[in-house]
């Protein structure tokens, strides 16, 4: 494929960020793990790797930029551990390189990069996260103005709905938010989940920019999650490119003929917004987070006839506004919040968020039977349907399995289809290939993932389906399995 335009151009920057000054004197906290790599050496001691121990003690590694690629300190973990954090740091700070006359460069290469590994996905992660963030913010020389969280809900259920304050990450970062730190977070990669960030965070979704700065060819991403969170607020706030974000070549990362590697997903999109915010905080030292977010939103480009209210970021327009206009209006909340106190009345509420909160509580407390879950699987709300089908888990017998296939064919919402497909993946056998393979071109990533997992169980019988999150490649990747199915007729 053609090498995409540089990420700075795709975001609307009018010129490449300056390698020596972009992000200077501003710190960004990146909640992730990090694998050492030679492409980080230019950061020197501006790159810190913070780890939090079970006893909440904090350790700061200031030499990570100089560690060898093979000298991983993530002992006992898989080879890919820390690659996600590496891609994030490179997207923010990599050195300039030229391809086809275009300069590719990180968005804020002069910033302080503080990577925080708090031991996510393990018991006590919330307490460790708070301890790590609070310790970092005490280091005034780093001037940390941004927290980047690409997996803000951590190990918590992504389907069962709850108020934001019930999430451990939200509680852990509350003091940082109150101090004026901007939390930039990924809104989610697929419509499989219901859980979306609180209104206090700058939530970032993605779109397909086709790898170009030409905004006339940009299109929505078909499986993009959006809607109201557990507080009733519409999420996300803003959109950024989520496919084929160029990085210097890294081993073990998707690459193009050894020239560049690619980052993606809403992790990549959120990283780009965090990088743009760091750039703007550095360029305009008097800027606060409310002013910055309002400016980015006011001067973003909405899609026409798209149900997602979030617009596409346009950094160039935001810069022109900061140069020539006054202070913009504050950010508007799309919806008023709801409460989950009265569970029994809310299950009959006309508000889908209240019904979702109530159903989630009933599922967690095991106070709902299978017949009732099937009834809610036909609710008018996709939020409620997702919760119900997720809670059903898998067909209990052959009769219910046939019903699952019927509901999968009838369901118009991709995330709900994803949960039907996942339920069917359990106890699937080789005789179902004719049922599975047509779903290899579904727009929902989770559905295609299930097809890929199904055929991989029988490698000796069926062609394999390579996973892809790029809409333009779905048909290409499915060509072999579809051809196999056609030959069976």
């Amino acid at each position: 494929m053609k090498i995409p335009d540089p990420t700075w151009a795709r975001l609307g920057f009018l010129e490449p960020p300056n390698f020596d000054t972009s992000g200077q004197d501003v710190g960004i906290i990146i909640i992730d793990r990090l694998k050492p790599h030679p492409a980080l050496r230019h950061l020197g001691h501006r790159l810190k790797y913070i780890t939090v121990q079970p006893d909440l003690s904090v350790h700061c590694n200031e030499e990570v930029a100089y560690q060898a690629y093979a000298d991983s300190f993530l002992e006992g973990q898989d080879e890919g551990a820390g690659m996600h954090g590496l891609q994030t740091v490179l997207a923010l700070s990599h050195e300039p390189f030229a391809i086809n006359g275009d300069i590719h460069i990180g968005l804020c290469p002069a910033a302080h990069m503080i990577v925080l590994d708090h031991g996510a996905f393990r018991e006590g992660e919330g307490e460790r996260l708070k301890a790590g963030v609070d310790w970092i913010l005490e280091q005034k020389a780093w001037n940390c103005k941004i927290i980047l969280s690409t997996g803000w809900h951590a190990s918590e259920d992504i389907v069962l709905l709850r108020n934001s304050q019930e999430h451990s990450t939200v509680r852990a970062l509350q003091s940082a938010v109150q101090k004026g730190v901007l939390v930039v977070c990924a809104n989610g990669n697929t419509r499989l989940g219901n859980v979306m960030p609180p209104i206090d965070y700058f939530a970032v979704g993605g779109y397909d920019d086709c790898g170009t700065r030409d905004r006339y060819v940009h299109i929505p991403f078909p499986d993009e999650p959006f809607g109201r969170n557990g507080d009733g607020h519409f999420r996300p706030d803003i959109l950024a490119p989520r496919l084929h974000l160029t990085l210097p070549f890294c081993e073990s990362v998707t690459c193009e003929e050894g020239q560049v590697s690619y980052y993606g997903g809403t992790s990549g999109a959120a990283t780009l917004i965090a990088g743009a915010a760091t750039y703007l905080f550095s360029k305009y030292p008097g800027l606060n987070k409310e002013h910055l977010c309002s400016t980015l939103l006011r001067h973003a480009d909405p899609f026409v006839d798209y149900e997602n209210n979030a617009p596409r970021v346009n950094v160039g327009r935001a810069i022109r506004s900061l140069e020539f206009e006054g202070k913009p209006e504050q950010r508007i909340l799309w919806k008023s919040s709801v409460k989950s106190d009265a569970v029994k009345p809310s299950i009959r509420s006309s508000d889908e968020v209240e019904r979702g909160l109530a159903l989630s509580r009933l599922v967690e407390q095991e106070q709902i039977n299978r017949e009732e879950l099937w009834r809610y699987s036909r609710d008018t709300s996709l939020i409620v349907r997702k919760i119900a089908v997720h809670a059903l888990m898998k067909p209990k017998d052959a009769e219910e399995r046939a019903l699952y296939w019927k509901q999968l064919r009838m369901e118009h919402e991709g995330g709900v289809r994803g949960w039907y497909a996942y339920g069917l993946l359990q106890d699937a056998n080789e005789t179902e290939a004719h049922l599975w393979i047509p779903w290899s071109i579904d727009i929902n990533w989770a559905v295609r993932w299930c097809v890929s997992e199904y055929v991989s169980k029988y490698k000796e019988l069926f062609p394999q389906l390579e996973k892809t999150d790029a809409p333009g490649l779905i048909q290409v990747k499915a060509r072999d399995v579809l051809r196999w199915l056609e030959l069976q007729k």
Side-chain angles (χ1 to χ4, degrees):
M1 64 176 284
K2 176 182 178 292
I3 301 295
D5 288 340
T7 52
W8 59 265
R10 295 157 65 181
L11 290 173
F13 279 84
L14 300 180
E15 60 184 6
N18 185 290
F19 181 72
D20 297 313
T21 62
S22 295
Q24 190 172 28
D25 299 326
V26 175
I28 175 171
I29 301 171
I30 302 160
I31 302 175
D32 214 328
R33 294 180 293 175
L34 180 67
K35 190 175 185 69
H37 193 276
L40 301 175
R41 287 176 186 162
H42 67 283
L43 291 171
H45 291 109
R46 284 188 293 110
L47 176 63
K48 310 287 195 302
Y49 191 74
I50 312 298
T51 52
V52 185
Q53 305 306 314
D55 63 359
L56 303 186
S57 61
V58 178
H59 176 258
C60 177
N61 178 352
E62 299 191 20
E63 304 297 324
V64 61
Y66 304 110
Q67 290 186 248
Y69 177 69
D71 183 22
S72 175
F73 43 81
L74 299 170
E75 293 183 6
Q77 301 183 30
D78 62 86
E79 185 180 349
M83 290 302 298
H84 186 276
L86 171 61
Q87 293 175 79
T88 299
V89 174
L90 287 175
L92 294 168
S93 65
H94 73 77
E95 292 183 290
F97 62 88
I99 297 181
N100 299 331
D102 278 326
I103 299 297
H104 296 250
I105 186 173
L107 299 177
C108 51
H112 295 283
M113 302 285 159
I114 317 299
V115 181
L116 172 58
D117 179 358
H118 66 290
F121 307 107
R122 298 198 297 272
E123 185 178 354
E125 61 186 352
E127 291 80 5
R128 292 191 298 275
L129 177 59
K130 177 173 172 53
V133 168
D134 289 350
W135 185 89
I136 292 169
L137 293 178
E138 290 174 359
Q139 317 309 308
K140 302 302 182 184
W142 299 345
N143 191 29
C144 292
K145 291 180 174 289
I146 296 175
I147 295 173
L148 172 58
S149 176
T150 54
W152 74 273
H153 49 72
S155 59
E156 294 168 339
D157 194 291
I158 65 169
V159 180
L160 297 182
L161 205 61
R162 61 187 66 185
N163 292 137
S164 295
Q165 285 300 317
E166 295 182 41
H167 290 279
S168 63
T169 297
V170 175
R171 295 194 298 270
L173 299 183
Q174 188 169 11
S175 61
V177 171
Q178 292 171 346
K179 291 175 182 176
V181 178
L182 173 64
V183 179
V184 177
C185 65
N187 194 60
N189 282 332
T190 171
R191 296 187 64 79
L192 200 64
N194 280 326
V195 174
M196 287 181 280
I199 197 69
D200 290 332
Y201 297 178
F202 204 42
V204 183
Y207 67 95
D208 184 1
D209 71 345
C210 304
T212 177
R213 69 190 84 194
D214 182 357
R215 292 179 170 262
Y216 291 103
V217 302
H218 295 175
I219 54 177
F221 189 78
D223 192 25
E224 187 67 20
F226 59 89
R228 294 167 68 201
N229 67 6
D231 304 318
H233 296 135
F234 185 90
R235 317 306 286 130
D237 293 293
I238 200 163
L239 306 177
R242 62 172 286 167
L243 296 171
H244 297 112
L245 311 178
T246 55
L247 304 172
F249 174 72
C250 312
E251 300 79 357
S252 304
V253 179
T254 304
C255 63
E256 186 70 26
E257 299 177 354
Q259 292 180 287
V260 297
S261 290
Y262 293 130
Y263 195 15
T266 49
S267 290
T271 297
L272 297 187
I273 294 296
T278 305
Y279 170 93
L280 293 172
F281 275 138
S282 178
K283 186 176 178 66
Y284 305 100
L287 204 58
N288 61 33
K289 66 178 181 181
E290 291 79 16
H291 191 173
L292 183 145
C293 292
S294 296
T295 302
L296 287 175
L297 287 173
R298 278 210 316 161
H299 298 282
D301 303 321
F303 278 115
V304 177
D305 298 327
Y306 184 32
E307 292 178 327
N308 189 348
N309 294 329
R312 293 168 288 160
V313 66
N314 190 326
V315 177
R317 291 182 60 197
I319 290 174
R320 285 193 293 271
S321 169
L322 291 168
E323 292 286 353
F324 302 114
E325 297 180 12
K327 188 173 182 178
E329 298 175 2
Q330 296 299 307
R331 185 158 55 118
I332 298 172
L333 305 187
W334 291 100
K335 297 282 186 179
S336 60
S337 61
V338 297
K339 296 182 179 179
S340 60
D341 301 332
V343 172
K344 291 183 179 178
S346 61
I347 195 65
R348 297 184 292 273
S349 172
S350 60
D351 186 293
E352 66 171 346
V353 172
E354 289 192 2
R355 295 203 306 280
L357 289 166
L359 181 57
S360 297
R361 185 72 61 86
L362 292 172
V363 169
E364 287 182 314
Q365 296 176 351
E366 299 181 351
Q367 294 181 356
I368 188 166
N369 62 40
R370 199 165 185 84
E371 182 180 354
E372 291 172 313
L373 287 174
W374 273 112
R375 186 169 72 249
Y376 286 115
S377 75
R378 298 176 177 89
D379 195 274
T380 57
S381 164
L382 67 91
I383 291 174
V384 174
R385 295 203 302 278
K386 271 188 252 189
I387 295 167
V389 179
H390 172 259
L392 285 168
M393 296 182 66
K394 67 176 185 175
K396 67 177 182 179
D397 53 30
E399 182 180 354
E400 222 180 53
R401 193 168 187 86
L403 180 57
Y404 257 68
W405 282 113
K406 179 181 177 181
Q407 292 300 114
L408 176 62
R409 289 189 294 270
M410 293 175 59
E411 178 58 57
H412 70 272
E413 205 284 324
V416 184
R417 288 200 305 276
W419 287 115
Y420 276 122
Y422 186 74
L424 286 164
L425 185 61
Q426 319 307 310
D427 305 324
N429 62 56
E430 66 271 22
T431 67
E432 291 185 327
H434 67 289
L435 296 173
W436 280 104
I437 288 177
W439 294 100
S440 60
I441 55 174
D442 193 79
I443 63 168
N444 181 266
W445 185 88
V447 175
R448 300 194 308 277
W449 180 89
C450 288
V451 178
S452 178
E453 291 296 300
Y454 171 77
V455 296
S456 71
K457 291 171 62 176
Y458 309 102
K459 293 181 180 178
E460 72 283 1
L461 298 177
F462 312 128
Q464 298 302 290
L465 176 65
E466 183 181 346
K467 302 178 182 73
T468 180
D469 59 358
L473 295 178
I474 293 174
Q475 288 279 352
V476 175
K477 300 299 184 183
R479 188 179 297 152
D480 289 346
V481 290
L482 291 174
R483 184 182 295 119
W484 178 91
L485 183 62
E486 184 65 25
L487 292 173
Q488 307 309 304
K489 295 180 179 179

